[in-house]
Amino acid sequence: MIRVVAHNIISPLGNSSIENYNVIKQGVSSIKRYEDKYGITEPFCASLFNEDRDFQELAISSIDDATKTLDFNDKNILLVISTVKGNIADDEYASRLRDTLAGKWQAKVKVIVVSNACTSGVCAQIVAARALEMQDEGNSFDYAVVVGIEIMNKFIVSGFQSLKAVSDEACRPFDIERIGMNPGEAAATMVLQKVDEAKSTDWIYQAGEMANDGYHISSPSPVAEGASKALKVVLENIDTQDIVLVNAHGTATLYNDEMEAKAISQVGLMDVPVNSLKGYFGHTMGAAGVLETIVTMLSIDDGVILATKGYDEQGTSRKLNIYNENIVLADAEEKSCFIKMISGFGGINAAIAYSHKPVGRKDFSCVCQKVKSIDIDEKNCPSLKEVYKTRIADYPKFYKMDVLSQLGFVASELLLKEETKDDDYAVVLFGQSGSKVVDEQYRATIHADNYFPSPSLFVYTLPNIVCGEIALRHNFHGETLYIQMPEKDEELMMHIVKGSMLFGKMDHSIAGWINADSEKEYNCNLNIYINNNGIKRRTQKQGNRSFES
């Protein structure tokens, strides 16, 4: 089983988990109104540090506090960074952080960056727990350190403003008068460990699931397809009667809150208390899933369900059990299970459950067979657009995509030709450069003399959008996940893919390496894998090939 060993939160409200919890228990929020911040003329409300914080320094401070009592000497550590945009001023921040911590701990450290839009923090916990559970010779980890971190800047705030998602008032999750979210800064760290036995006070990972809407890259499904699926799979692994709280994403945007309310209702949890923490910290993006999980653990241990700050009158079509004041948790000693749910651009949704109850050990095995492969680079395919026109030509949205998404789209289209498809495909992609090409294009729109942030460009600055585009094209509702790596590590990549197929109950997966350094410099190797231990069986043509235009 996987237990939470230690944690930390650093936010504008405090420098430790307990300090943050005690402050918000008193109803204190760090959200303030800003005018002319970052040179942005449109006012907005946000939760920001009083002084500019360095990304690397903030991450190390949070990790140091969480790990201060742990001995990592000569241990194997998986460092999982959860972030939407990372340190956009330093392309090598992940490897720098890994090397710094490896030297400090005298440990062997591998690092990955889960960049799965606003679901990143929950997805990072799921990936970490699976990696610990699925030990193998090449990837046997003693601990996983998950750090969620986001620092606001002109790039991020202007982007969400361009999408009309940011409010110039304090956010009001699930309220009838909600008009948008408030960006937030924070770092939050959780340390996970695989153990045979746990104490009754330990928080134990019960289950986690990711699912895609297959609906739209920047709007949630109106029928809550992905969120409902993620919740249903998590509920298969826990006793519904033990659930004391659903901590929702609750961004206070019109469509997200409505979608979550539908999902919660559809799985029969409408009577379970629901809350959102965005009214205290704002939307901390890559840190949100980690930070909010920690606060929820502390509140349940304290016998309290925290109020949804900013909430007054319910404004969703499905009624939920939401409170605007703290309430005492009934049966806190007998029941302790909670669910954290979250959603993000690219159509991705995720849910995770923790409890004080132990989890029985299982024999995990996944026979993951590669049945088809495709290689594309600038040498064998000098023009992605030409390939689209001559080999595909039935999806005009292709021309709106950034080069990373175009690359993934073309490769997946050619890979899936003549394949039997159903909606249970996972899409798990890895890369080094992320969305660097479109980042520069978007940055030009916010530094131009006539300031005009481009919403169509900003959406593609989230590298997981390439996964969402593939899922949308083929109506896939399985897991979609994008992970950045400082360098290609095929053993670790396969470890993560196997975890996705086994724990996500996927029979099929499109997975592999995809990278774009410029409009004319790119390469990808995508594969179709099948899980031979899956419940379903599919007959697929086998073979490997290199694309030739």
Side-chain angles (χ1 to χ4, degrees), residues 144-357:
V145 176
V146 180
V147 56
I149 180 169
E150 215 72 62
I151 296 292
M152 292 300 108
N153 48 49
K154 187 175 185 178
F155 189 107
I156 297 174
V157 176
S158 65
F160 281 99
Q161 279 189 330
S162 74
L163 296 166
K164 307 301 181 186
V166 179
S167 172
D168 62 353
E169 301 174 2
C171 66
R172 305 184 66 173
F174 295 103
D175 191 80
I176 194 169
E177 296 186 19
R178 68 189 186 278
I179 58 173
M181 63 92 156
N182 305 140
E185 296 182 319
T189 301
M190 294 174 65
V191 183
L192 306 179
Q193 180 189 26
K194 183 177 180 179
V195 294
D196 293 324
E197 296 181 358
K199 297 179 292 186
S200 61
T201 55
D202 284 339
W203 281 103
I204 307 299
Y205 172 88
Q206 303 288 315
E209 178 70 5
M210 297 170 253
N212 201 285
D213 289 329
Y215 170 74
H216 197 276
I217 61 169
S218 60
S219 295
S221 165
V223 296
E225 189 157 10
S228 295
K229 180 179 179 182
L231 288 172
K232 286 176 183 176
V233 173
V234 168
L235 290 173
E236 290 174 1
N237 296 277
I238 58 178
D239 187 344
T240 306
Q241 299 302 313
D242 287 339
I243 301 172
V244 297
L245 176 66
V246 175
N247 175 241
H249 194 28
T251 60
T253 53
L254 184 64
Y255 297 115
N256 175 85
D257 290 9
E258 173 68 13
M259 179 275 292
E260 285 196 290
K262 286 182 180 178
I264 292 168
S265 176
Q266 286 168 7
V267 299
L269 296 179
M270 69 290 290
D271 295 326
V272 174
V274 173
N275 73 355
S276 166
L277 299 172
K278 298 296 190 296
Y280 305 100
F281 299 100
H283 188 348
T284 57
M285 301 184 186
V290 184
L291 180 156
E292 293 168 11
T293 298
I294 296 169
V295 170
T296 303
M297 290 174 177
L298 291 172
S299 71
I300 293 175
D301 282 341
D302 193 31
V304 173
I305 292 178
L306 293 167
T308 297
K309 191 171 182 64
Y311 171 81
D312 184 43
E313 180 182 354
Q314 188 134 356
T316 56
S317 62
R318 306 293 178 90
K319 299 307 177 185
L320 300 177
N321 194 6
I322 304 177
Y323 302 89
N324 59 9
E325 60 182 9
N326 296 345
I327 64 170
V328 176
L329 181 59
D331 304 322
E333 294 185 1
E334 291 79 20
K335 303 187 340 182
S336 64
C337 185
F338 73 89
I339 292 175
K340 168 65 193 163
M341 63 185 295
I342 203 160
S343 58
F345 285 180
I348 184 59
N349 305 268
I352 198 167
Y354 284 92
S355 173
H356 286 311
K357 287 190 175 182

